Amino acid sequence: MKGEIRVRIADVAKKARVSEATVSRALNNPEIVTPELLKRVNESIRALKYRPNPHAKSLAGLTSPSVGILLFNEVGEVFRSPFWAQAISSLYPSLLSRDFQCSLIFQPKNLFGQNQKISKTSFLRFLRTRYVDAFIILGFPPLETLEAFEECNIPILMWGRPLSLNSNIAYVETDNLHGAADAVNYLIDKGRSKIALISARSDSTGSTDRTQGYLMTLERRGLPADEQLIVHGNYSLESGRSAMRTLLKRSVDFDSIFAINDSMAFGALEVLADLKIKVPKKIAIVGFDGVQSENRFSQDLTTVCIDIQTICNLLVDKLGKVLNGKSVKSELVPALLLARETA
């Protein structure tokens, strides 16, 4: 903002009654600072609303706010996902159009050691040394990182609902629960009564909400939920193939499938095509995402479409507000069922 005085590291040091070197160590190597000094420095940082990014901005000669798009995935995994590839392709230009400087930051879940939990101290250091004015988080960070996000004194928004119900981080997310309910209601209204589910991991609120929407709708429509009709994948095409094969091997009948993302739906469709099982005559399929990747089949997938551009616009609008010191609320964006040829 024009006329705003940026808080410097020297201001933090003066208020905390320590040297600038001590403040620097508290930010970058807090484990070597005594608890008393660390407490004084952190209290001063919070009181002054200090964000440790001026150094990077001065080096780069930037005047626009800088935003880190933070993804908890490997680079290859992100760009193999049709949904996240399109999400980034939409969010990045939306930020640039509002004069934000952007950088993609990939945070693999095993960055701090294979099969090790991320410590709050290590993750705080990671966040504070990215030298950005704000973060937009894509995906679902591990629970142990959420406390660090709330303590880092850098504005943060999430694309996706946090795993913790106690998190204060504002988010924008698809209404996954009701989107899934629309998919299942659509199949029931088409005369299907034995609906299988291809779900995914439970460390994603998107996955759990879509699964809950499936179960909730079966109950409301008076249909039983059969555990033998529920299989799990990992959002990939191959896991959809594997899930479909698993369902076919079980001695239980089904007349339709709701897959919680399009890639797994396409994988299931591929197996059925190989086996010459007619879709939707024999088995109907509905996906979720609405991102049409390369389609190897003559049939277009019936799916629940995520409004990616609306989510991007809301995130950018809220980002501008939080950078100006305003509070923002989380928001759900409705999904839209698109009836095509597979159901």
Side-chain angles (χ1 to χ4, degrees):
M1 294 176 64
K2 188 174 180 180
E4 181 181 358
I5 299 175
R6 181 173 292 280
V7 178
R8 302 168 302 160
I9 198 169
D11 300 317
V12 176
K14 182 177 179 181
K15 184 173 181 61
R17 305 186 308 280
V18 298
S19 68
E20 292 181 31
T22 297
V23 175
S24 179
R25 285 192 293 271
L27 289 170
N28 299 302
N29 299 98
E31 68 275 6
I32 65 174
V33 180
T34 66
E36 179 185 355
L37 292 181
L38 187 61
K39 179 181 179 182
R40 279 161 46 187
V41 170
N42 285 334
E43 286 175 350
S44 298
I45 286 173
R46 285 191 289 270
L48 296 172
K49 298 182 179 179
Y50 171 74
R51 296 196 299 272
N53 64 299
H55 176 63
K57 293 183 77 172
S58 64
L59 284 177
L62 304 175
T63 56
S64 301
S66 57
V67 181
I69 302 174
L70 180 57
L71 300 102
F72 281 81
N73 303 86
E74 299 286 351
V75 177
E77 180 184 348
V78 169
F79 289 102
R80 281 192 299 270
S81 163
F83 173 75
W84 286 121
Q86 184 166 328
I88 295 169
S89 297
S90 299
L91 180 58
Y92 203 86
S94 296
L95 288 164
L96 292 178
S97 70
R98 294 282 292 272
D99 202 29
F100 289 108
Q101 301 291 331
C102 305
S103 59
L104 287 177
I105 303 170
F106 293 90
Q107 164 69 79
K109 291 186 178 181
N110 64 350
L111 179 69
F112 298 102
Q114 189 69 31
N115 299 322
Q116 292 182 10
K117 286 190 174 182
I118 301 172
S119 73
K120 185 175 75 171
T121 299
S122 297
F123 195 65
L124 272 171
R125 184 187 311 138
F126 173 85
L127 293 175
R128 287 168 174 167
T129 54
R130 298 310 96 186
Y131 302 112
V132 295
D133 290 301
F135 287 105
I136 293 179
I137 305 166
L138 271 59
F140 303 95
L143 276 171
E144 60 264 26
T145 66
L146 293 178
E147 188 176 352
F149 279 127
E150 295 181 5
E151 290 185 16
C152 73
N153 299 305
I154 301 172
I156 292 172
L157 294 172
M158 286 185 66
W159 182 330
R161 182 168 60 82
L163 287 166
S164 172
L165 296 176
N166 298 320
S167 174
N168 294 316
I169 299 173
Y171 62 87
V172 180
E173 173 65 301
T174 301
D175 189 346
N176 290 297
L177 182 75
H178 291 101
D182 288 345
V184 179
N185 275 317
Y186 175 82
L187 288 169
I188 296 171
D189 291 343
K190 286 285 188 177
R192 311 288 172 157
S193 59
K194 299 176 181 178
I195 305 169
L197 172 71
I198 301 180
S199 188
R201 60 179 185 248
S202 60
D203 62 346
S204 152
T205 55
S207 172
T208 55
D209 286 351
R210 293 175 197 182
T211 299
Q212 184 60 35
Y214 161 86
L215 295 171
M216 174 187 75
T217 306
L218 290 181
E219 182 180 2
R220 289 180 176 177
R221 298 294 295 268
L223 296 176
D226 187 345
E227 289 187 2
Q228 288 296 302
L229 290 179
I230 300 175
V231 290
H232 294 83
N234 64 6
Y235 299 104
S236 68
L237 185 75
E238 178 52 44
S239 74
R241 296 189 194 107
S242 178
M244 185 73 254
R245 295 188 193 104
T246 298
L247 280 171
L248 292 171
K249 288 177 182 177
R250 293 178 177 175
S251 57
V252 57
D253 293 330
F254 59 96
D255 55 23
S256 52
I257 298 167
F258 170 49
I260 69 165
N261 85 328
D262 286 350
S263 290
M264 293 193 295
F266 279 123
L269 187 60
E270 183 176 290
V271 171
L272 294 176
D274 289 343
L275 296 173
K276 295 182 170 44
I277 297 174
K278 292 185 178 181
V279 175
K281 184 177 180 180
K282 180 68 174 177
I283 298 176
I285 299 181
V286 177
F288 202 119
D289 279 347
V291 179
Q292 290 291 302
S293 57
E294 182 180 350
N295 191 348
R296 311 172 191 178
F297 311 102
S298 58
Q299 293 173 295
D300 288 327
L301 181 68
T302 296
T303 188
V304 178
C305 296
I306 293 174
D307 192 343
I308 289 177
Q309 194 56 58
T310 294
I311 292 174
C312 291
N313 292 342
L314 287 169
L315 284 168
V316 175
D317 287 344
K318 292 177 189 295
L319 184 64
K321 291 177 181 177
V322 297
L323 285 171
N324 284 315
K326 299 177 181 178
S327 60
V328 296
K329 293 183 178 180
S330 298
E331 195 162 346
L332 289 178
V333 176
L336 176 67
L337 179 75
L338 184 58
R340 290 192 177 114
E341 297 175 331
T342 61

